[in-house]
Amino acid sequence: MIAKWVLIAMALLGIAISFPASAEVRVFACEPEWAALAREVGRGHVKAFAATSKRQDPHHIRAKPSLIAAMRRADLLFCSGAGLEVGWLPILLRQSAKANVQPGKPGHFLAADYVKVLEIPAVIDRSLGDVHPEGNPHVHLDARNMIPLALELSRRLAAVDPPNGQAYAEQADAFVDNWSEHLTGWQGRALKLNGLPVIVHHKSWAYLIDWLGLTQLATLEPRPGIQPTPGHLSRLLRSSRLRPAKAILRTPYDPPEASDWFSSKTSIPVLKLRYTVEKTGSKGSLKALFDNMIAQLETVTTVVDGDK
Ligand SMILES: [Zn+2]
């Protein structure tokens, strides 16, 4: 038996006291949205860790030791794929040497493999710095994609944790029922957003734009991943006079200078949309994410109506 003072000393030193092994499946999610989905489908059986936060650009993350350690503990890896994490995920996989989450294993789950990927280029060319050579990887922003992903996630969870397979299947079905109702509501609201002309900083929003029927007029980046240049911005300024956008969309992690400058020249408002969920708390729900983004877009359609 461990003496009480030893336990107190261990607690003070921050040493983990080992209790009987928990049956929780540990999910390593590259982005917070996948941790949120894992918590929904795996409720009660899953502990999800998000490698990035909403303030971090998921294209560019440092493969730091804490992430390698987290991957070593993982039973299931859940990431966007389509090259979004190409700069850091392969390093984590190699350095962690965790066998069950390597490509090809049931514990290696990439969202882009289960949904329709948009903007796949005819010719793959990274030489100009394009960060989307495999197509657009920001697949979570079409809310419809959550349905096939929830179902596949339940199968992956069942594969790594067979005793709870039934629970995962039931929770995924419940999620799908619920989500389908939300989709109906959001798509009803999207009727008023149809055709809304927007400019985006980076092509982070391709799936949201496709799903809600917005019209993307231009990107402030001359190519995905290349920061805006003065020449590109002045060309956009000229074309914007002919066909002005109603909003400039950027994520919380995009550098603000170009969109703020463009807004100051054109009076087009900048919408800093959430892009993903908070790691925890009430802003951590996927439903809240889409509710919030649509509500923000609705603020500029009011202006559209007022123009008429
Ligand atoms: Zn991107």
Side-chain angles (χ1 to χ4, degrees):
M1 201 182 124
I2 308 173
K4 195 176 169 190
W5 68 267
V6 176
L7 286 172
I8 293 168
M10 286 170 77
L12 286 173
L13 291 168
I15 299 168
I17 301 164
S18 62
F19 289 108
S22 94
E24 274 178 339
V25 171
R26 279 167 296 199
V27 176
F28 179 103
C30 284
E31 291 85 27
E33 61 270 20
W34 306 133
L37 187 59
R39 285 187 199 106
E40 300 251 12
V41 173
R43 201 172 46 249
H45 306 285
V46 157
K47 197 172 171 65
F49 165 84
T52 55
S53 80
K54 67 167 198 171
R55 290 187 206 291
Q56 290 177 295
D57 179 348
H59 305 86
H60 304 292
I61 296 297
R62 201 167 65 80
K64 53 188 181 185
S66 61
L67 294 182
I68 297 166
M71 187 166 287
R72 278 199 190 113
R73 292 190 292 271
D75 303 301
L76 177 72
L77 171 152
F78 186 9
C79 298
S80 296
L84 180 64
E85 303 96 352
V86 74
W88 53 283
L89 185 57
I91 302 170
L92 297 181
L93 285 165
R94 201 167 51 242
Q95 301 272 330
S96 71
K98 190 75 196 293
N100 58 310
V101 297
Q102 298 294 324
K105 299 284 172 143
H108 186 94
F109 176 28
L110 301 182
D113 292 344
Y114 293 87
V115 299
K116 184 173 180 286
V117 172
L118 303 177
E119 301 174 350
I120 296 177
V123 181
I124 293 177
D125 182 7
R126 274 190 181 279
S127 63
L128 293 166
D130 192 330
V131 294
H132 292 168
E134 295 168 45
N136 191 307
H138 304 278
V139 299
H140 70 289
L141 290 181
D142 181 338
R144 294 170 299 187
N145 286 345
M146 292 299 165
I147 288 183
L149 293 175
L151 295 172
E152 179 60 23
L153 176 61
S154 75
R155 290 188 277 269
R156 297 302 182 108
L157 287 168
V160 299
D161 178 24
N164 289 312
Q166 183 69 22
Y168 298 131
E170 286 169 7
Q171 288 179 178
D173 286 345
F175 173 84
V176 168
D177 284 350
N178 230 324
W179 199 252
S180 303
E181 277 182 34
H182 299 326
L183 282 176
T184 306
W186 290 324
Q187 285 161 196
R189 287 162 72 184
L191 296 175
K192 279 199 161 181
L193 300 172
N194 193 39
L196 184 80
V198 295
I199 290 175
V200 301
H201 177 96
H202 169 75
K203 287 186 170 181
S204 314
W205 311 103
Y207 291 84
L208 188 75
I209 285 169
D210 182 63
W211 170 48
L212 298 178
L214 316 183
T215 301
Q216 181 181 298
L217 297 182
T219 62
L220 297 181
E221 290 181 339
R223 292 176 70 85
I226 304 297
Q227 287 309 310
T229 58
H232 179 67
L233 291 179
S234 15
R235 274 192 297 279
L236 288 187
L237 211 50
R238 284 195 294 277
S239 57
S240 182
R241 288 196 189 104
L242 301 171
R243 195 177 175 198
K246 288 290 176 188
I248 305 166
L249 309 185
R250 76 165 187 244
T251 67
Y253 62 79
D254 287 323
E257 293 79 10
S259 45
D260 288 348
W261 179 86
F262 204 82
S263 176
S264 74
K265 295 286 174 197
T266 57
S267 304
I268 301 169
V270 175
L271 291 184
K272 189 171 81 172
L273 299 185
R274 270 189 199 170
Y275 178 76
T276 187
V277 299
E278 302 273 353
K279 281 191 173 182
T280 51
S282 62
K283 289 180 180 172
S285 101
L286 288 167
K287 178 182 178 292
L289 169 67
F290 288 100
D291 276 341
N292 185 271
M293 288 191 298
I294 292 172
Q296 277 192 274
L297 288 166
E298 285 169 340
T299 62
V300 293
T301 56
T302 319
V303 179
V304 175
D305 290 343
D307 283 347
K308 283 173 190 167

